[in-house]
DNA sequence: GGATTTTTCTACCATTTGGTAAGTCTTGGC
DNA sequence: GCCAAGACTTACCAAATGGTAGAAAAATCC
């Protein structure tokens, strides 16, 4: 028998994989258990219910995502570098852990049982980013725009990228990095032209 | 009793709505039947199986999508206008029928049972677009790039937009047109800078 | 090394699911 | 008016699903 939380971690990892590929409804606890060579009741023991498992996977994923971005948001670089750092780190996560963003995509679907929870989980990060952007705008270092719209646009680009990567991989495309880099550049350009004050634009 | 294919059409419409919001696995034939005030076996009578229903919905949607683009692709405008026309018409579909793109998003997920079928359905349109682009490149009217990559990028932008719109709507945002227009402009800029030959760029 | 707690398993269960079989009803052609 | 074809329904069913109850096994603590 596995000591400590090892089994729990294994379940979380496999659940993330399953939820983010074949979806929540498409995942059955029986299949999950079989894939882990575990009895279904072991899953329910750790997570009470299937919904509980989804919540746990979600919490875990958002935590990892937040950690990845936290260090960038608290850095002391200049604005321009900061935007670039932010975009780069998000894309790094998307490339290294496409499953994580696949989950986001799965769960952010309207009508998903976990959508409100995701919203709550993400809102601190979001509102923080919005606040930061609005401060920058107030001080004139960033052009006045709807911060929420910009964020949303960036968000859907990244989630779209994650989808794209998985599709490419399953389609057998070997070089998956080039389109990603291309999209990253695209997003970066968009953010810069959206956010850089007009008088500072050097393009 | 409803004459002609009226019931069939109603089932198709409701199935599209359900598949593209709560997903294929999340949709039960019983619920679908109840929502239509119909017996489940009526659905199975028309479409043989749940999978058959998905295929029918898919065929129907791709057909509508293709029709929307066909007229643009066969138009005789200049390249530049043609790209803009294409983008505009795709976005019009995305705005008027978000369900249609929601289905694309749902179904294009790797591991989806309908993914290969979608691929087959879309490939004529895709390969046609790629051929056209490559001809333009050959003749120098369009800059040399990987046509497939550009298409993929555009595709994921549009599907991402559909997601965005649905999320906005469920989040209670009333003005859904502005972000859509913003993304459209973004995509348009990307395509132009990607495709316009260097010597012709006027930006 | 025994008691206790944590972890995992076996045995069931109620409900839902997609699907089959066999009708009934309706409509249009003759 | 009859009847064949199409449209729709009732009656069932086997498998899968999420979940409960409680025993067994392993790890931990003293």
């Amino acid at each position: 028998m596995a000591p400590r939380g090892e089994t729990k971690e294994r379940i979380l990892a496999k659940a993330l994989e399953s939820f983010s590929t074949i979806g929540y409804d498409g995942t059955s606890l029986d299949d999950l258990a079989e894939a882990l060579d575990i009895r279904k009741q072991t899953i329910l023991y750790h997570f009470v219910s299937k919904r509980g498992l989804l919540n746990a996977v979600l919490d875990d994923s958002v935590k990892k995502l937040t950690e990845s971005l936290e260090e960038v948001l608290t850095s002391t670089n200049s604005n321009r570098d900061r935007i670039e750092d932010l975009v780069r780190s998000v894309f790094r996560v998307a490339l290294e852990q496409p499953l994580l963003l696949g989950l986001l995509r799965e769960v952010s679907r309207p009508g998903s049982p976990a959508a409100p929870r995701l919203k709550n989980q993400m809102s601190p990060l979001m509102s923080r980013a919005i606040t930061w952007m609005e401060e920058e705008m107030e001080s004139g270092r960033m052009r006045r725009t709807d911060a929420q719209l910009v964020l949303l646009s960036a968000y859907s680009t990244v989630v779209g990228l994650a989808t794209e990567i998985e599709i490419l991989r399953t389609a057998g495309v070997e070089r998956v990095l080039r389109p990603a880099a291309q999209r990253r550049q695209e997003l970066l350009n968009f953010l810069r032209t959206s956010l850089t004050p007009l008088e500072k634009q050097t393009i």
Side-chain angles (χ1 to χ4, degrees), chain A:
Chain A
M1 187 177 294
R4 306 216 304 177
E6 195 198 307
T7 308
K8 204 168 177 175
E9 287 303 319
R10 283 182 62 221
I11 297 174
L12 276 176
K14 205 67 175 180
L16 169 62
E17 177 185 332
S18 191
F19 286 160
S20 64
T21 50
I22 63 178
Y24 177 74
D25 289 313
T27 300
S28 90
L29 294 184
D30 286 293
D31 293 349
L32 211 56
E34 196 182 1
L36 288 163
D37 196 24
I38 286 284
R39 254 38 59 190
K40 168 174 55 172
Q41 283 62 23
T42 303
I43 301 179
L44 289 173
Y45 164 75
H46 284 289
F47 301 99
V48 181
S49 67
K50 191 186 178 183
R51 184 79 161 264
L53 176 60
L54 174 60
N55 286 340
V57 171
L58 209 57
D59 293 356
D60 197 45
S61 298
V62 172
K63 204 180 110 201
K64 283 177 186 165
L65 203 61
T66 306
E67 281 170 2
S68 301
L69 304 186
E70 199 69 25
E71 49 184 301
V72 179
L73 275 177
T74 55
S75 86
T76 55
N77 280 344
S78 72
N79 290 334
R80 183 153 188 151
D81 291 345
R82 215 139 138 198
I83 291 176
E84 177 148 1
D85 286 351
L86 205 60
V87 171
R88 281 190 182 279
S89 69
V90 169
F91 270 75
R92 197 182 321 121
V93 176
L95 277 170
E96 288 171 359
Q97 308 212 9
L99 292 179
L100 209 146
L101 292 186
L103 181 72
L104 274 190
R105 170 177 177 262
E106 160 76 11
V107 142
S108 68
R109 171 174 59 194
S112 160
R117 190 183 184 92
L118 175 73
K119 204 174 169 183
N120 287 341
Q121 292 269 358
M122 295 286 276
S123 70
L125 194 62
M126 284 292 189
S127 61
R128 179 174 169 183
I130 289 180
T131 305
W132 172 72
M133 283 172 69
E134 283 172 348
E135 280 174 9
E136 299 294 303
M137 289 176 190
E138 201 63 40
S139 71
R141 287 189 300 274
M142 194 179 275
R143 193 205 305 180
R144 283 224 79 81
T145 8
D146 191 332
Q148 198 175 2
L149 283 190
V150 175
L151 258 189
L152 211 65
S153 211
Y155 168 82
S156 78
T157 300
V158 173
V159 173
L161 172 83
T163 309
E164 198 174 290
I165 288 180
E166 289 196 41
I167 289 181
L168 282 172
R169 284 209 171 115
T170 54
V173 174
E174 63 295 342
R175 305 160 297 104
V176 86
L177 244 57
R178 245 187 74 201
Q182 193 170 357
R183 302 267 303 164
R184 187 182 63 193
Q185 194 56 45
E186 179 190 349
L187 176 62
L188 207 50
N189 288 341
F190 166 68
L191 288 177
R192 278 184 179 152
T193 53
S194 296
L195 302 176
T196 306
L198 289 172
E199 71 268 22
K200 288 189 184 175
Q201 284 185 8
T202 56
I203 306 173

